[in-house]
Amino acid sequence: MASTTSNAFLAGIRERRTIYALSKESPIPDSRIEEIISDAVKHTPSAFNSQSTRIVLLLGEQHDKLWDITTQVLKAIVPAEQFESTQQKMDSFKAGYGSILFFEDESIVEGLQAQFPTYQDKFPDWSQHTNAMHQFVIWTALANEGLGASLQHYNPLIDEKVKNEWSIPEKWKLIAHMPFGKPAAPAGEKQFKPIEERFKVFK
């Protein structure tokens, strides 16, 4: 019989969905959001215990500013006749309560490459794995608290402006950004490929 703890954990994973329709509300206080992220940063595993992931939380006007910056960058490169859909997408992200920026500290990765040259070509990959685990842990924890989120990737287009705006260290590489807020609409139906094609057991 599965343990209650395991069932609760898996139920939490099932609750995590991509939510695009967000509102500028949160069912939990900012202090709880900060606690969730702090716990994730502290306890999520990393290759060689490198602890290379860095997180920036943007709330209020700072969150709005991120999506204003992204909109400005995209407006300069997206054809005018195609920009309406892009603007709608930017507005939907800005409509959220906050954003989380996920970075990797490349100085940590470079240090490991120098220390363990046999694996030097693997450390960038392992760094990405580490960052992805942080994304998943935080995303799932927010979902369990009633917050919807999606994962976005407008890097490297916005990297320089983000670093300048929030004085981000030069060696922090932007990996992804996660707008979040109280869901304004439920997630769509999710289609699943057959488990038999994705999971094999040998005894």
Side-chain angles (χ1 to χ4, degrees):
M1 181 177 179
S3 73
T4 302
T5 302
S6 294
N7 282 338
F9 175 70
L10 293 172
I13 291 174
R14 287 191 290 270
E15 282 295 313
R16 186 225 53 81
R17 296 292 308 280
T18 294
I19 305 291
Y20 292 112
L22 304 172
S23 69
K24 283 195 181 301
E25 298 178 84
S26 173
I28 56 175
D30 294 351
S31 58
R32 177 58 180 150
I33 297 171
E34 293 175 32
E35 181 181 24
I36 287 170
I37 295 174
S38 293
D39 278 349
V41 170
K42 184 174 183 179
H43 296 292
T44 301
S46 58
F48 284 63
N49 195 30
S50 59
Q51 301 176 49
S52 56
T53 297
R54 303 289 182 262
I55 305 287
V56 171
L57 173 63
L58 302 176
L59 298 171
E61 293 180 358
Q62 301 302 310
H63 157 77
D64 291 347
K65 191 179 296 183
L66 171 69
W67 296 106
D68 287 341
I69 288 171
T70 307
T71 300
Q72 292 166 8
V73 170
L74 292 175
K75 196 168 187 177
I77 62 174
V78 175
E81 64 274 13
Q82 299 175 17
F83 191 70
E84 183 178 353
S85 61
T86 298
Q87 182 70 66
Q88 291 174 353
K89 188 178 292 185
M90 295 300 103
D91 290 345
S92 72
F93 300 146
K94 186 177 177 180
Y97 185 79
S99 290
I100 302 165
L101 306 182
F102 295 85
F103 298 84
E104 281 296 297
D105 188 341
E106 293 188 301
S107 66
I108 301 295
V109 178
E110 292 165 2
L112 287 167
Q113 289 176 309
Q115 187 176 358
F116 302 100
T118 302
Y119 307 113
Q120 61 180 328
D121 61 328
K122 298 296 184 184
F123 281 111
D125 291 340
W126 294 340
S127 170
Q128 293 286 331
H129 300 169
T130 294
N131 203 276
M133 285 190 283
H134 283 76
Q135 296 167 23
F136 177 73
V137 168
I138 292 172
W139 196 350
T140 304
L142 292 178
N144 290 342
E145 298 279 0
L147 284 162
S150 68
L151 195 64
Q152 303 301 320
H153 304 86
Y154 291 100
N155 45 302
L157 295 173
I158 65 172
D159 289 22
E160 183 177 352
K161 290 185 179 295
V162 165
K163 285 185 176 181
N164 290 337
E165 182 63 41
W166 289 286
S167 301
I168 303 299
E170 185 59 34
K171 283 292 186 178
W172 288 22
K173 180 180 180 180
L174 184 60
I175 305 298
H177 15 291
M178 182 181 289
F180 67 89
K182 186 177 180 181
E189 183 179 353
K190 187 173 183 178
Q191 302 296 321
F192 296 94
K193 294 183 178 180
I195 292 297
E196 295 78 12
E197 296 178 4
R198 304 165 61 194
F199 174 44
K200 296 184 183 298
V201 179
F202 301 93
K203 299 183 182 180

